[in-house]
Amino acid sequence: MTKKTTDNQTSTMWGGRFSSGPASIMEEINASIHIDKRLAAQDITASKAHCDMLVRTGIISETDGIAIVRGLDAVAREIAEGRFEFSTALEDIHMNVESRLAEIVGEAAGRLHTARSRNDQVATDFKLWVRDAVGELDSQIQALQGALIDQAETHAGSVMPGFTHLQTAQPVTLGHHLLAYVEMLGRDRSRFADCAARLNQCPLGAAALAGTSFPIDREMTAASLGFDAPCANSMDAVSDRDFALEYLSAGSILSVHLSRLAEEIVLWCSDGFAFLRLSDAFSTGSSIMPQKRNPDAAELVRAKAGRVIGDLNALLITIKGLPMTYAKDMQEDKETVFDAADTLTLCLAAMTGMIAQGTFDADRMRELTGRGFATATDLADWLVRVLGMPFREAHHVTGRIVKRAETGECGLEDLSIEEMREEEPRISEDVFDVLGIDNSVKSRASLGGTAPDNVRRAVAAARKRFLEPAG
Ligand code: ARG
């Protein structure tokens, strides 16, 4: 619930030198409470750490400190239980909390803001929020990796056409294909981890921009909030939003990965491919065509990358050209990050559901693999290996043999040895060994290759690397 001021009162927080209150439109453009109320828990945690430090350094009395912490806990409960009345007139979460604190504990509340400003306060709260958000996203990405690894294990030996240019290139195994996404997601996790590690310096105590004349202990607040150290420069501390940009950058790359997988799901579910059947829980019907099973969730994941990339762009453009240090422009930072976090959370959950519950049709994938002359490279390699032909020449000979198969509307392995010998007389019967799809994938046993045994080993390695706790 958000209440608005209708009268012309000056702000109780900063209205000392103003004789009249803000125009309602001013209040509306200035307020961020509808967005930053999501920082409530972090705001209260940071305030308690600040208060504790003020007591321990003797800047405020222990009695005041106890009252403040008790009051902050009460405010936290009111917010958690939905009893807190958020006020637009009080602009943002920081002033909403402090004003309610004053109602609960009286005069002592006014001492909490000693040696700090909303500028270092908001930077601290926001960093704490992003740090938590990174942790939550990491578990979700890991869950998706788990679903992909399970399917990869089931389909370690299921052949499918591997594509380049979306044209049949060489046979691969579905397990290998899915593990490619596991690698992408692994890099996403490490980008988020980098973001969390780099952001972990505490702005609190930078005050408005220049530091403070009070004998504060910034090491103390940094440590109690789980930061590695205080930010070294007070001006940088309040003006830095790199952590939000890094979160959005890592999020944008993740959203691009999810959208690529989503696009493949859309293709695989189409009649032309028919490789994948999504579970009923992740399919939608058409209101007019009863036969349809639409992959709406995949299409939406594909689309929502646009949103996340938009969030990154919005914040980059907002921050670009801002002079040091804080400017109100920066208040726009949170909406982009919250939106990206919510979007990614939803997309990851939907993607994990689609992958975990989807059913791949191994027979259909095999059927299509046989169609596109997928073993042409294997034939060329055979000519090189067995006949000692230079690869370029082998490429030409193979091309002519493919053309024959194409004209005869058959697969490479359906040509007779005589037909092949018309193109290259030295070809022997054992060429047929490499024209089969299974032999083809089995032969690609080089490191990182698609051979089923490789995939089985890669599945085990991926479980260790990505699903087991590091240690
Ligand atoms: N609501 C503001 C924000 O999110 C808090 C900081 C306000 N500081 C100021 N000097 N007006 O950026």
Side-chain angles (χ1 to χ4, degrees):
M1 206 185 354
T2 306
K3 80 177 174 217
K4 284 193 169 190
T5 44
T6 41
D7 52 28
N8 220 24
Q9 284 170 339
T10 59
S11 168
T12 47
M13 291 288 159
W14 46 250
R17 66 182 286 256
F18 293 84
S19 51
S20 73
S24 71
I25 203 76
M26 177 62 215
E27 185 175 303
E28 199 176 327
I29 196 171
N30 208 29
S32 56
I33 186 62
H34 56 297
I35 304 292
D36 60 28
K37 59 180 162 193
R38 285 179 71 169
L39 296 179
Q42 290 76 12
D43 193 68
I44 289 169
T45 302
S47 284
K48 284 168 73 174
H50 183 66
C51 176
D52 184 47
M53 181 278 291
L54 292 176
V55 171
R56 290 213 263 161
T57 49
I59 297 170
I60 67 171
S61 72
E62 194 162 354
T63 322
D64 284 340
I66 291 169
I68 290 169
V69 169
R70 183 178 53 80
L72 287 169
D73 285 336
V75 175
R77 274 195 303 277
E78 288 183 8
I79 294 175
E81 291 162 12
R83 289 185 283 118
F84 191 93
E85 223 182 286
F86 292 101
S87 151
T88 314
L90 291 166
E91 265 184 63
D92 57 23
I93 187 62
H94 324 292
M95 298 207 291
N96 269 268
V97 169
E98 202 186 315
S99 153
R100 181 70 189 123
L101 180 68
E103 286 172 9
I104 298 172
V105 307
E107 213 193 82
R111 304 197 186 279
L112 172 61
H113 213 54
T114 312
R116 79 171 183 190
S117 142
R118 274 188 294 156
N119 296 350
D120 57 340
Q121 199 180 349
V122 73
T124 306
D125 295 357
F126 197 18
K127 277 189 169 185
L128 291 174
W129 193 94
V130 171
R131 202 174 66 185
D132 290 346
V134 165
E136 282 157 28
L137 218 51
D138 185 70
S139 325
Q140 272 205 295
I141 303 174
Q142 187 181 43
L144 176 55
Q145 285 182 307
L148 287 162
I149 293 170
D150 287 346
Q151 287 282 13
E153 183 160 44
T154 308
H155 293 285
S158 305
V159 291
M160 68 180 283
F163 300 99
T164 59
H165 313 269
L166 202 56
Q167 306 280 317
T168 300
Q170 293 172 350
V172 294
T173 50
L174 175 61
H176 195 54
H177 190 134
L178 296 177
L179 288 181
Y181 283 97
V182 172
E183 293 298 319
M184 296 185 208
L185 295 168
R187 290 192 296 274
D188 289 322
R189 289 176 67 189
S190 101
R191 267 184 285 273
F192 280 112
D194 283 351
C195 164
R198 203 173 296 106
L199 73 68
N200 213 28
Q201 299 193 338
C202 186
L204 202 58
L209 76 164
T212 174
S213 56
F214 290 97
I216 58 171
D217 185 339
R218 292 193 57 209
E219 308 276 356
M220 193 187 284
T221 39
S224 75
L225 292 170
F227 286 102
D228 298 328
C231 298
N233 180 297
S234 65
M235 296 178 78
D236 180 47
V238 296
S239 79
D240 168 38
R241 291 295 180 273
D242 291 1
F243 60 97
L245 292 171
E246 286 190 30
Y247 179 87
L248 291 170
S249 308
S252 293
I253 298 175
L254 168 61
S255 77
V256 166
H257 290 160
L258 293 176
S259 103
R260 292 182 73 174
L261 179 54
E263 165 67 1
E264 300 218 273
I265 290 176
V266 172
L267 288 172
W268 291 341
C269 289
S270 69
D271 291 332
F273 284 80
F275 289 176
L276 173 64
R277 188 179 168 89
L278 292 176
S279 66
D280 286 357
F282 283 97
S283 301
T284 45
S286 155
S287 53
I288 172 165
M289 295 162 285
Q291 84 283 12
K292 288 269 224 138
R293 290 173 67 84
N294 292 332
D296 286 35
E299 293 167 88
L300 286 162
V301 170
R302 184 173 64 185
K304 282 181 191 291
R307 243 187 121 105
V308 178
I309 295 164
D311 288 325
L312 170 62
N313 273 300
L315 188 58
L316 281 169
I317 296 164
T318 302
I319 302 293
K320 171 204 159 293
L322 284 189
M324 294 287 269
T325 48
Y326 177 84
K328 197 65 175 246
D329 308 52
M330 287 157 74
Q331 179 165 280
E332 294 283 307
D333 55 4
K334 286 165 284 297
E335 197 168 0
T336 58
V337 170
F338 293 163
D339 182 69
D342 293 344
T343 305
L344 290 169
T345 297
L346 183 60
C347 289
L348 283 163
M351 192 52 96
T352 305
M354 284 188 279
I355 294 294
Q357 297 176 21
T359 312
F360 287 94
D361 184 341
D363 294 336
R364 170 66 184 169
M365 294 190 298
R366 173 176 292 274
E367 182 193 330
L368 238 67
T369 315
R371 280 199 205 158
F373 310 116
T375 54
T377 318
D378 298 272
L379 172 54
D381 286 350
W382 185 91
L383 296 171
V384 171
R385 203 171 49 243
V386 179
L387 304 184
M389 209 181 257
F391 185 79
R392 283 290 155 223
E393 192 187 332
H395 189 286
H396 282 293
V397 172
T398 305
R400 289 198 300 273
I401 294 175
V402 166
K403 199 165 168 199
R404 274 179 174 269
E406 206 171 24
T407 320
E409 286 182 23
C410 64
L412 287 176
E413 69 279 23
D414 303 322
L415 291 170
S416 66
I417 190 75
E418 290 74 28
E419 283 173 293
M420 287 198 237
R421 280 185 182 147
E422 278 173 38
E423 300 302 340
E424 169 48 59
R426 290 174 297 162
I427 291 182
S428 57
E429 288 281 353
D430 60 352
V431 74
F432 288 105
D433 289 347
V434 302
L435 297 181
I437 292 162
D438 287 301
N439 283 338
S440 167
V441 289
K442 220 160 108 193
S443 73
R444 298 234 150 63
S446 56
L447 197 153
T450 195
D453 281 345
N454 274 22
V455 174
R456 281 179 202 107
R457 276 194 298 276
V459 161
R463 284 196 201 288
K464 271 214 173 61
R465 288 163 63 209
F466 299 121
L467 305 185
E468 285 170 17

